Amino acid sequence: PAPPDADAAAAAAAADDQSPLADVHSISAAGFAHCDVYIIEDSDLIRKTSVAKFAKLAAAWAVAWTFHEYPTVESFVHLLPALVDRPDVILCVDENLHSAGGSLTGTDLIRRLAKLPFSGCLISASGDPSVAQLHIDLGANLALGKPLPTLPKLADRLLGFFSKRELEATVAAGPLP
């Protein structure tokens, strides 16, 4: 049998993933109650687990998110013209996508998006902290690392983004009459 400490740690981890994840108000107000989530990742396993984690979060928040998977920037980039002016888009991108035959990197995609009026949520999912910082410097909204954090941490990070987006919209609307 596992030592009691191991059982306690496993129970705490399970409780962590089942804890209440947050108020949906910021998500709806920021335009993310219905959105498209694009996962650009060369590893099939990491791509599938990322989709599963975002899907669990969407289910917990009772929001309608549609998921799209791409193994390379090249397989995704043709969609950019249709996505640039849509605030209801979440892009989660890895850096090195070469194992799936890609020659473009996550940095290349973020540089392209920086030249466009992209208004969605851009997430760096690189396992390299220096690359994650570069992605932030180039315009990514969040750097989550790899693997993605636990559901409560993922929820907190996304809610921070959604709350900021809601505040920006409120300020842009000007003072109340």
Side-chain angles (χ1 to χ4, degrees):
D5 290 343
D7 289 340
D16 186 42
D17 256 7
Q18 300 302 318
S19 64
L21 295 175
D23 174 11
V24 158
H25 173 71
S26 293
I27 298 159
S28 297
F32 283 89
H34 301 279
C35 73
D36 288 300
V37 179
Y38 294 84
I39 307 294
I40 305 158
E41 165 64 57
D42 58 333
S43 164
D44 288 337
L45 178 62
I46 293 173
R47 197 170 56 249
K48 299 288 184 204
T49 57
S50 296
V51 167
K53 189 157 279 192
F54 277 105
K56 271 179 125 175
L57 191 57
W61 284 342
V63 294
W65 289 358
T66 304
F67 300 94
H68 312 273
E69 302 175 43
Y70 294 88
T72 64
V73 171
E74 289 87 348
S75 64
F76 166 79
V77 77
H78 71 280
L79 297 171
L80 285 181
L83 301 179
V84 293
D85 287 324
R86 289 188 45 205
D88 63 338
V89 170
I90 297 173
L91 296 181
C92 184
V93 62
D94 183 24
E95 173 62 7
N96 296 312
L97 303 155
H98 306 302
S99 75
S103 61
L104 296 175
T105 64
T107 298
D108 295 327
L109 176 60
I110 293 168
R111 283 191 172 120
R112 284 187 187 196
L113 288 167
K115 294 176 184 175
L116 302 170
F118 182 70
S119 57
C121 179
L122 179 54
I123 299 170
S124 169
S126 173
D128 180 340
S130 64
V131 170
Q133 185 58 55
L134 174 61
H135 287 177
I136 292 293
D137 293 344
L138 292 172
N141 304 106
L142 301 170
L144 299 180
K146 197 189 311 186
L148 291 177
T150 63
L151 283 179
K153 288 179 183 174
L154 180 60
D156 286 345
R157 298 295 305 278
L158 283 173
L159 282 173
F161 171 79
F162 298 144
S163 295
K164 180 180 176 199
R165 175 67 53 86
E166 182 181 12
L167 178 62
E168 289 168 351
T170 301
V171 169
L176 295 173

